[in-house]
Amino acid sequence: MASLRDDWDCKIPPDITLSIVVLGASGDLAKKKTFPALFALYKQGFLPRATQIIGYARTALTAEALHERLRQYLKGEEEEIARFLKLCFYVQGEYVPDAPGYRELARHVEEWEAQPASPAGRLFYLALPPYVYPEVCQGLSRECSDLGPSRNTASWVRAIVEKPFGNDLESSEALCEQLGALFPENQLYRIDHYLGKELSQNLLVMRWANPIFGAWWNRHYVNNVQISFKEDFGTQGRGGYFDSYGIIRDVIQNHLTQLLALIAMECPVSNHPDDIRDEKCKVLRCIAPLNLQDVVLGQYVAGHGVGADVVLGQYVAGNDQPGYLEDPTVPEGSRAPTYAACRLAINNERWAGVPFVLRAGKALNERSVVVRMQLHENPVPLFGPHGTHQNMRNEFVMRLQPGEAIYAKMVVKKPGLEMDTEMSELDLSYGERYADVKIPDAYERLILDCIRGDQQHFVRRDELRAAWSIFTPVLHAIDRGEVQPEPYEYGSRGPPSQDAFLAAAGYKRTARYTWKPSKSSEAMA
């Protein structure tokens, strides 16, 4: 008998009547990400013909006032923008469960769904802080989720919720229990926008559509894996928000851990979202909880020039840029790390003994997100002790931003009469290979996936539990003040101790090599 997953389909019914409700419509996330993503889908013809978009927030606004707020963030022809805004309405209401605004919202939706024979879709996008999710979901569940007994069987209700999903394992589980009592798992779409990035989605295709990768994608060939996230700016007046989370909760536990799961997972049974998420969850469960010996923390301080090296770090200020503790919104004497490097071990047959280092930091020397898989050295130094065998390892690199690129570093003969070697690369720079293709924004893709009912790129509850189990012990130790972050200069590569930390994980920096992106990739950056 075939599995129910074998009959899975994620097509949008052509006659669907769709209502997209953006809760928190007056906030920054909605203005800068959600509505622009919806506009991009509208321009490309991906929204169903019968679509309405309703903004809901506490702010007293008319629909026209909402349109004016949104207009500056919508990029396109004026006529296109005007047609899109005609689809956008507004309902004012509080977020408490018994707010009358939910009944007004339900009235708008039900009037739109005038033909019960047609399938109806209700997508609730919670562009709100997580602490209001339980109240908002109670209001939506009570007033806006009943499709009625006569509604078409293809109708659906779905809710997108933004991170952070809790502060640790216990709070995450409590939030999941509260939301799960109101919306079943197949209606909940926990969004992590890194899963919507083009190169994140390319990982599955590259790994499982190309036998060339399967032969070496394991501990027998891979020496170490690094997943790095760098920002070249500090908290910029938002230190109060950041301080309550820190860099591990903000970036590593979610974005970088999801990338790790895609890199390290086994081949799924099928492309069904739950088959893929089953494999991600399996590999995360193979990772032991972190301890402080496997972490470097830092905090940035005022910088005195790019290139200064100050690994568990907190940023410090420089001549031109203030340090973290100089941000007036940061609590005095805060020990919140603005840099962290975490060394993880995956205890399974494929990856046993291969360190996975997840690094993230603010106020560093560049802005980038890079996956780097470094292979073992050539065991036989045929071309001399200072060639391949010593410091010229093969690497497979995926650059998610800026300027998407995939390249493999290899040793080649340097042109000329001498038998000399150098590092070069096989390079797929998206800006050159796909110069005429618009790379979609992650939010565009993920909202479209939700409309289609494809949960592949959303985080399931057991994935979330496994990820929090890895990081919660270290996070609690940091919260108790057991670690003093190491200072590093604004604009530097990070805390000075990171080099020894990375070396202990097996990483060797390639001598005399710098990847030079194509001009088209630089233009995309």
Side-chain angles (χ1 to χ4, degrees):
M1 180 178 177
S3 165
L4 290 176
R5 294 184 182 181
D6 295 336
D7 299 324
W8 171 73
D9 185 17
C10 64
K11 293 180 180 177
I12 302 173
D15 57 340
I16 192 171
T17 303
L18 178 62
S19 295
I20 301 173
V21 180
V22 181
L23 297 107
S26 60
D28 277 355
L29 177 62
K31 291 185 297 185
K32 296 178 180 179
K33 292 294 184 180
T34 313
F35 279 102
L38 290 170
F39 177 56
L41 293 175
Y42 169 79
K43 284 196 300 180
Q44 297 171 76
F46 282 108
L47 293 184
R49 182 174 53 83
T51 297
Q52 69 165 346
I53 302 168
I54 306 172
Y56 183 96
R58 293 178 297 195
T59 308
L61 290 174
T62 62
E64 292 74 19
L66 175 66
H67 297 171
E68 289 307 309
R69 287 189 174 208
L70 297 178
R71 193 177 294 274
Q72 63 178 304
Y73 299 103
L74 307 179
K75 307 302 180 186
E77 299 292 332
E78 188 56 40
E79 289 184 4
E80 283 183 317
I81 294 173
R83 287 196 299 269
F84 172 75
L85 291 175
K86 286 182 180 179
L87 307 178
C88 301
F89 305 92
Y90 186 77
V91 173
Q92 181 190 359
E94 296 294 322
Y95 297 133
V96 293
D98 57 352
Y102 295 116
R103 290 189 290 277
E104 177 68 10
L105 188 59
R107 184 183 66 79
H108 272 266
V109 172
E110 289 164 2
E111 287 179 357
W112 186 250
E113 301 167 352
Q115 301 295 328
S118 299
R122 300 181 184 181
L123 169 54
F124 303 113
Y125 193 118
L126 276 63
L128 295 164
Y131 67 84
V132 300
Y133 287 171
E135 289 187 331
V136 171
C137 287
Q138 285 181 52
L140 293 174
S141 177
R142 179 184 303 166
E143 300 291 347
C144 304
S145 296
D146 185 6
L147 292 164
S150 61
R151 177 55 66 184
N152 187 294
T153 55
S155 299
W156 50 261
V157 174
R158 295 168 188 150
I160 295 178
V161 292
E162 287 271 355
K163 76 169 186 74
F165 311 115
N167 288 316
D168 56 12
L169 178 59
E170 182 179 2
S171 60
S172 174
E173 283 290 283
L175 181 60
C176 286
E177 283 293 326
Q178 291 175 300
L179 300 190
L182 301 166
F183 290 96
E185 189 67 26
N186 66 348
Q187 293 182 351
L188 270 177
Y189 287 66
R190 299 177 188 86
I191 194 169
D192 185 325
H193 73 272
Y194 267 59
L195 292 177
K197 289 183 176 291
E198 184 67 33
L199 264 66
S200 300
Q201 301 206 339
N202 203 359
L203 266 168
L204 286 184
V205 177
M206 279 198 318
R207 287 194 62 190
W208 308 117
N210 299 288
I212 189 174
F213 291 113
W216 62 265
W217 204 278
N218 54 60
R219 62 187 170 89
H220 300 295
Y221 289 89
V222 178
N223 182 280
N224 63 87
V225 179
Q226 292 187 59
I227 307 174
S228 303
F229 170 99
K230 296 181 179 180
E231 287 183 337
D232 57 2
F233 54 88
T235 50
Q236 298 179 324
R238 297 180 66 249
Y241 167 83
F242 179 85
D243 198 80
S244 63
Y245 293 103
I247 197 69
I248 295 178
R249 288 185 176 100
D250 194 40
V251 177
I252 295 178
Q253 180 273 335
N254 36 68
H255 301 328
L256 302 194
T257 301
Q258 285 295 317
L259 290 176
L260 178 150
L262 291 172
I263 293 164
M265 63 182 271
E266 297 298 323
C267 184
V269 174
S270 75
N271 281 327
H272 188 283
D274 281 326
D275 284 335
I276 292 170
R277 297 190 296 179
D278 284 348
E279 297 303 330
K280 289 166 61 185
C281 188
K282 284 180 188 177
V283 77
L284 292 178
R285 291 178 60 197
C286 291
I287 302 174
L290 267 179
N291 57 59
L292 289 176
Q293 288 69 45
D294 292 316
V295 180
V296 167
L297 301 177
Q299 190 183 71
Y300 70 85
V301 296
H304 296 285
V306 173
D309 289 324
V310 181
V311 167
L312 178 59
Q314 201 177 37
Y315 67 79
V316 280
N319 286 338
D320 299 321
Q321 300 293 343
Y324 180 69
L325 296 179
E326 295 173 43
D327 183 331
T329 65
V330 171
E332 184 177 353
S334 169
R335 292 189 174 187
T338 60
Y339 174 98
C342 305
R343 184 171 52 227
L344 304 179
I346 301 176
N347 186 29
N348 66 11
E349 195 279 334
R350 181 184 290 270
W351 296 114
V354 179
F356 280 70
V357 178
L358 277 53
R359 296 190 293 158
K362 288 183 169 294
L364 296 174
N365 60 327
E366 63 177 344
R367 171 181 168 266
S368 67
V369 179
V370 176
V371 174
R372 186 180 304 276
M373 302 179 71
Q374 190 171 79
L375 276 63
H376 294 302
E377 295 170 338
N378 189 333
V380 180
L382 181 61
F383 297 102
H386 300 294
T388 306
H389 185 67
Q390 291 294 321
N391 55 5
M392 298 175 77
R393 286 180 173 178
N394 295 140
E395 290 183 0
F396 178 75
V397 183
M398 297 184 66
R399 186 180 182 92
L400 280 73
Q401 67 183 38
E404 293 92 341
I406 302 168
Y407 60 97
K409 291 169 58 175
M410 60 181 58
V411 183
V412 298
K413 178 187 176 297
K414 190 174 182 180
L417 297 176
E418 300 294 338
M419 181 56 73
D420 198 6
T421 59
E422 68 175 1
M423 292 298 293
S424 188
E425 66 280 321
L426 294 176
D427 184 4
L428 168 60
S429 292
Y430 274 53
E432 185 170 313
R433 177 65 177 82
Y434 303 111
D436 299 326
V437 177
K438 175 188 176 293
I439 303 296
D441 179 77
Y443 282 90
E444 296 173 35
R445 189 189 307 275
L446 294 174
I447 291 173
L448 181 60
D449 282 349
C450 184
I451 296 171
R452 289 172 168 168
D454 184 352
Q455 290 185 299
Q456 175 185 157
H457 304 116
F458 295 84
V459 182
R460 203 168 62 187
R461 179 175 177 176
D462 53 352
E463 285 183 77
L464 192 60
R465 183 188 303 120
W468 277 119
S469 296
I470 296 167
F471 294 98
T472 291
V474 156
L475 288 169
H476 284 176
I478 295 170
D479 292 343
R480 290 191 297 266
E482 296 178 12
V483 184
Q484 177 64 51
E486 179 182 350
Y488 64 93
E489 286 194 3
Y490 196 117
S492 70
R493 290 176 48 239
S497 61
Q498 71 174 329
D499 290 335
F501 181 81
L502 295 175
Y507 175 69
K508 288 190 176 181
R509 192 177 184 89
T510 304
R512 299 177 285 112
Y513 171 86
T514 302
W515 178 64
K516 297 178 181 179
S518 64
K519 291 183 179 180
S520 51
S521 289
E522 290 178 324
M524 293 176 66

